[in-house]
Amino acid sequence: MLKELVDLLQQREYKMVDLLEQLVKMESPSTRPDLTEKIGQFLSERFIEMTGGKVEFLESDQYSPHIRAEWGSGEGQVLIVTHMDTVWPEGTLDEMPFEIKEGKAYGPGTFDMKAGIVQALFAIQALDELEVKLDKKVVLMMTSDEELGSPTSKEYIIEEAKKSDSVFVLEPSQGEEGALKTARKGVGTFEVRIHGVPSHAGIDPEKGASAIEELAEQITYLSSLTDLEKGTTVNVGLIDGGSQKNVIAEDAHAVIDVRVQTQEEMDRVVPLIQNLKPHDSDIEISVTGGIYRPPLERTDDIERLFEKAKELAHEYLDIELIEEFTGGGSDANFTASIAPTLDGLGAVGAGAHALHEHAVVEQIPKRSALLALLLCEYGKADL
Ligand SMILES: [Zn+2]
């Protein structure tokens, strides 16, 4: 039966590319709920038509509804996490049209992660078509705000992960070999606002307290928190401040990107950033923000999941799967501490968020088959 499943999906390459083309041509930047809603509607209809499953729209107060699609039945569930939004603004297609060149599908969102959505839909369709009976239901989440850090889908994803025995995340794989992602850094954003005392730089320099000078000192301190060996980076990426060149600056402001590899580092660095102390008593500092995606650490459960995926890929697909660590965050960061999670199961290709973004076409059916095999394994298929 597993062999049949793989063969069926291998024959669907043409259909998969066709659906991918339709999805890419429906541009869906996260910041345009009208567009993400459209693609969400389209995907809901495809899901019902292809799998006979059911769909629920989960309200988002800022963005378009997230989609919870369900197939099969059973007490437990296996969760698949995808997102419909991309980082590309509307109109990108004019410069970056959908096209197939040398076996690669180019276009905005092909790799991150519309090919992943295609793989998931076809995998579930194949299970349905071959009447594979699973002990558990399969829940497919398709969210609309992942590229913004999942502000409104996070809680829904966590809620579903709590009900799930395993979680498969279809973010793009890494490198030419299509490595799975078994560890990810945690990611946070902090904003530092400094309030000083303004004064004329020529007439009353002694009466002022410069917010810019204070910020400069804080930047040096914040940068010193970076510890590359431990995988911690504190990057002051944006600054602004002051009003005129001859005024001692009243205000200054910085935005900081923080990444940590372990919970331990998160616990070390976060309080240091939150409790910045001014060097001058006339200055006030306030810090807002936090870690919005905790680190995904490679647990024994994740290792077991990876080993199983590797075994299935080797046996049925003749693929030698490898695993890698990445500094980028995904929704897997939320689910990994709740249920065993495997990420990077999506497309093989390159150029996420870059102009050469593409997915390798012949890998789309293979990856779809790998997901179908994992669903059989972890959904406890009665074969
Ligand atoms: Zn993504």
Side-chain angles (χ1 to χ4, degrees):
M1 180 59 102
L2 292 181
K3 182 82 180 56
E4 255 180 278
L5 198 55
V6 171
D7 289 344
L8 176 69
L9 285 163
Q10 294 275 31
Q11 293 158 15
R12 302 251 151 110
E13 183 179 302
Y14 176 77
K15 286 188 171 163
M16 291 185 192
V17 172
D18 190 49
L19 179 59
L20 177 61
E21 178 171 1
Q22 293 181 63
L23 295 182
V24 173
K25 287 184 172 169
M26 300 180 83
E27 292 181 288
S28 54
S30 331
T31 48
R32 287 284 304 275
D34 55 328
L35 296 179
T36 51
E37 182 162 7
K38 230 188 223 168
I39 197 171
Q41 199 64 45
F42 175 81
L43 282 165
S44 309
E45 284 160 20
R46 290 292 83 72
F47 181 82
I48 293 167
E49 176 192 298
M50 289 170 75
T51 72
K54 56 183 185 187
V55 161
E56 193 185 333
F57 293 91
L58 307 171
E59 285 311 311
S60 157
D61 49 12
Q62 266 174 293
Y63 303 103
S64 73
H66 310 295
I67 291 157
R68 179 190 185 279
E70 185 185 306
W71 175 83
S73 57
E75 284 282 302
Q77 72 179 38
V78 179
L79 180 64
I80 304 171
V81 181
T82 68
H83 63 84
M84 309 177 284
D85 59 319
T86 74
V87 293
W88 299 105
E90 189 187 28
T92 302
L93 272 175
D94 298 341
E95 296 124 53
M96 219 177 132
F98 179 85
E99 56 183 342
I100 309 277
K101 271 190 302 194
E102 291 162 4
K104 295 168 180 167
Y106 288 84
T110 43
F111 185 50
D112 188 9
M113 62 150 63
K114 289 178 174 174
I117 297 177
V118 170
Q119 289 164 203
L121 288 177
F122 277 85
I124 301 171
Q125 182 193 37
L127 294 177
D128 191 68
E129 204 174 309
L130 295 178
E131 295 178 14
V132 176
K133 290 271 170 285
L134 302 186
D135 267 1
K136 299 174 187 176
K137 53 180 173 284
V138 175
V139 172
L140 167 65
M141 290 288 284
M142 296 184 272
T143 64
S144 65
D145 64 358
E146 195 275 345
E147 295 292 359
L148 303 171
S150 309
T152 70
S153 56
K154 178 180 173 177
E155 290 313 318
Y156 291 120
I157 292 168
I158 289 174
E159 204 179 300
E160 290 301 329
K162 284 182 185 159
K163 293 184 266 175
S164 304
D165 307 306
S166 4
V167 182
F168 302 118
V169 181
L170 294 195
E171 283 294 339
S173 62
Q174 192 150 302
E176 276 173 29
E177 289 153 305
L180 301 194
K181 294 166 176 174
T182 52
R184 281 182 179 272
K185 282 188 182 180
V187 190
T189 306
F190 291 87
E191 282 196 53
V192 177
R193 285 193 171 73
I194 300 185
H195 190 73
V197 181
S199 177
H200 192 294
I203 302 168
D204 294 316
E206 71 289 346
K207 289 187 182 153
S210 169
I212 288 183
E213 219 175 291
E214 179 67 39
L215 179 59
E217 297 210 41
Q218 296 296 345
I219 290 171
T220 312
Y221 171 68
L222 287 162
S223 303
S224 77
L225 300 176
T226 290
D227 185 337
L228 293 178
E229 239 157 65
K230 289 191 174 133
T232 301
T233 55
V234 178
N235 180 56
V236 182
L238 290 169
I239 56 165
D240 61 274
S243 56
Q244 295 291 337
K245 78 172 175 70
N246 59 353
V247 175
I248 292 179
E250 183 175 12
D251 292 296
H253 166 243
V255 186
I256 304 158
D257 179 274
V258 176
R259 289 174 196 246
V260 288
Q261 208 164 311
T262 60
Q263 186 70 40
E264 201 183 330
E265 274 296 281
M266 184 166 139
D267 295 341
R268 175 184 77 91
V269 169
V270 170
L272 293 176
I273 298 171
Q274 281 168 334
N275 297 307
L276 292 179
K277 295 273 172 294
H279 294 80
D280 181 328
S281 58
D282 290 335
I283 298 238
E284 281 165 29
I285 299 184
S286 74
V287 180
T288 54
I291 299 281
Y292 58 88
R293 282 187 177 128
L296 186 167
E297 296 188 57
R298 187 182 184 280
T299 59
D300 291 347
D301 276 344
I302 289 177
E303 187 184 334
R304 271 194 290 278
L305 219 50
F306 172 73
E307 289 303 328
K308 180 48 83 179
K310 194 173 155 177
E311 198 185 303
L312 292 168
H314 174 81
E315 194 177 336
Y316 293 96
L317 296 161
D318 210 19
I319 292 175
E320 301 310 317
L321 265 191
I322 56 168
E323 60 179 320
E324 266 174 34
F325 163 81
T326 171
S330 85
D331 289 330
N333 293 58
F334 302 136
T335 63
S337 59
I338 302 168
T341 298
L342 203 52
D343 192 4
L345 283 163
V348 180
H353 308 189
L355 287 170
H356 65 292
E357 174 166 6
H358 65 265
V360 177
V361 171
E362 64 167 11
Q363 293 289 333
I364 297 174
K366 288 193 164 80
R367 289 268 160 164
S368 180
L370 176 60
L371 178 64
L373 294 171
L374 285 165
L375 292 175
C376 286
E377 178 71 27
Y378 290 94
K380 295 216 180 359
D382 182 14
L383 298 172

